[in-house]
Amino acid sequence: MKHGSKIKKLGRVKSQREALTASMIEALVSHGRITTTEAKAKALRPAIEKLITKAKTDSVQNRRLVNARLKNRPTTTKKLFEDIGPRYESRDGGYTRILKLPVRQSDAAPMAIIELV
């Protein structure tokens, strides 16, 4: 049964899902917006918003937590804490926006753009 399970599995095992999320977070932080499938964008939103909330208060513990979640990507962690965290200091949440696009022509997958507000 799926009672109370809010994890979107995306057809992957846990390690693959974590690696996919970490790489998508890295791309979103470095580029500001990415185009992906709608399901991946909806799965990415809570993960990136939690990391940005952590990045708003710069401490050793928060840096270690974010770096562990990103699978040891120090440049992305540095950018989160030095650029993105202070930018959203006065904002309580809702750091990302999902814009829907037409379906992908090859496999008719619903596409979306996820971007930092």
Side-chain angles (χ1 to χ4, degrees), residues 35-107:
T35 303
T36 183
T37 62
E38 195 175 320
K40 288 179 188 174
K42 287 181 178 181
L44 179 64
R45 174 182 261 174
I48 187 70
E49 296 217 356
K50 287 173 187 171
L51 293 183
I52 292 173
T53 302
K54 290 272 186 210
K56 284 166 53 173
T57 56
D58 194 359
S59 67
V60 175
Q61 179 66 24
N62 283 346
R63 280 185 181 261
R64 287 179 179 167
L65 286 170
V66 169
N67 201 26
R69 181 78 167 102
L70 291 175
K71 306 292 184 197
N72 197 18
R73 291 181 167 93
T75 56
T76 306
T77 304
K78 183 178 178 183
K79 187 167 182 181
L80 266 172
F81 278 92
E82 293 177 3
D83 297 338
I84 296 175
R87 183 178 3 161
Y88 296 116
E89 194 66 40
S90 62
R91 196 175 182 109
D92 289 333
Y95 314 115
T96 58
R97 173 186 304 136
I98 296 177
L99 304 169
K100 294 183 181 183
L101 295 174
V103 295
R104 187 164 49 198
Q105 191 171 7
S106 60
D107 61 354

